[in-house]
Amino acid sequence: MKIYTKTGDKGMTSLVGGQRVAKNSDRLESYGTVDELNSYLGVIRSCGIAPEIAAELAEIQSRLFDVGGNLATDPADVKVKVCIREEDIAALEQAIDRMDAEVPPMKYFVLPGGTQAVAFCHVARTVCRRAERRILTLAGKAEVDERILKYMNRLSDYLFMLSRKLVHDSGEEEMKWIPRTD
């Protein structure tokens, strides 16, 4: 089977279920941004992080494939299965709480950066926020499981805490944002 089909050459693609939609539709923007986020999580995993964090990120990547598959399915054509469960959201919250207990209290805003893994955490966090906005736009026009939105919101918080934990574990200092005062 060839990877190219030529059916998208004029800017259209098929959803799961067969419906043809524009490649710049809200639905495609939603799951395309989730796919972009997933790729950044793969980059973070490639940065030599602790195996337990890499495993946690691999699990999150699998859940993001579930989210993307759900968003790529036209609810009118195919019965959509639940892709995110409450326990997935709870797992992110537990991980956030675990990492929060391991790092110094937050006393100021931090500038994105630090080690390569930390910098990519910040990129992933902002892509996650964009994915959340794209999904909210889609939700204004079509049915979207509210657990997807909750998961994406928690995931951006998770990525922020992961950036803080990775800085802390590396022995580096977070770079404090110093606002201009004049």
Side-chain angles (χ1 to χ4, degrees):
M1 179 174 163
K2 292 186 178 189
I3 189 69
Y4 58 90
T5 63
K6 301 182 183 181
T7 61
D9 289 354
K10 294 185 179 178
M12 300 294 284
T13 193
S14 295
L15 297 177
V16 176
Q19 180 187 9
R20 300 287 292 171
V21 296
K23 288 185 175 183
N24 62 349
S25 71
D26 292 331
R27 188 167 295 281
L28 269 285
E29 286 290 337
S30 295
Y31 73 75
T33 307
V34 170
D35 188 37
E36 180 184 354
L37 169 61
N38 206 334
S39 296
Y40 277 112
L41 297 186
V43 171
I44 296 166
R45 285 192 314 112
S46 75
C47 288
I49 60 176
E52 62 274 8
I53 294 174
E56 197 168 73
L57 286 172
E59 174 65 22
I60 292 168
Q61 286 184 284
S62 290
R63 298 296 65 79
L64 288 177
F65 261 92
D66 292 338
V67 168
N70 183 288
L71 295 172
T73 303
D74 178 14
D77 289 344
V78 178
K79 181 162 175 56
V80 179
K81 295 180 181 178
V82 173
C83 67
I84 294 296
R85 299 181 177 129
E86 290 297 329
E87 55 261 30
D88 299 321
I89 297 163
L92 287 178
E93 291 170 349
Q94 291 164 5
I96 292 166
D97 293 344
R98 180 193 76 237
M99 290 186 285
D100 192 38
E102 296 174 16
V103 300
M106 184 95 188
K107 296 182 179 174
Y108 45 80
F109 288 107
V110 296
L111 298 178
T115 68
Q116 193 171 36
V118 171
F120 279 120
C121 283
H122 284 288
V123 172
R125 173 185 55 79
T126 61
V127 173
C128 187
R129 289 288 189 206
R130 179 165 30 94
E132 184 181 11
R133 292 189 304 271
R134 298 290 188 262
I135 295 166
L136 278 168
T137 298
L138 176 62
K141 301 172 183 175
E143 184 180 337
V144 173
D145 189 319
E146 69 180 27
R147 289 170 289 200
I148 290 175
L149 289 166
K150 286 170 68 174
Y151 188 81
M152 299 303 289
N153 188 32
R154 290 311 176 286
L155 181 53
S156 63
D157 294 335
Y158 168 91
L159 291 166
F160 178 72
M161 284 308 305
L162 180 58
S163 74
R164 296 200 69 225
K165 178 178 175 24
L166 293 177
V167 165
H168 179 74
D169 290 353
S170 74
E172 299 280 329
E173 294 284 324
E174 291 178 307
M175 185 176 276
K176 179 180 178 180
W177 170 56
I178 301 170
R180 190 171 282 160
T181 58
D182 58 350

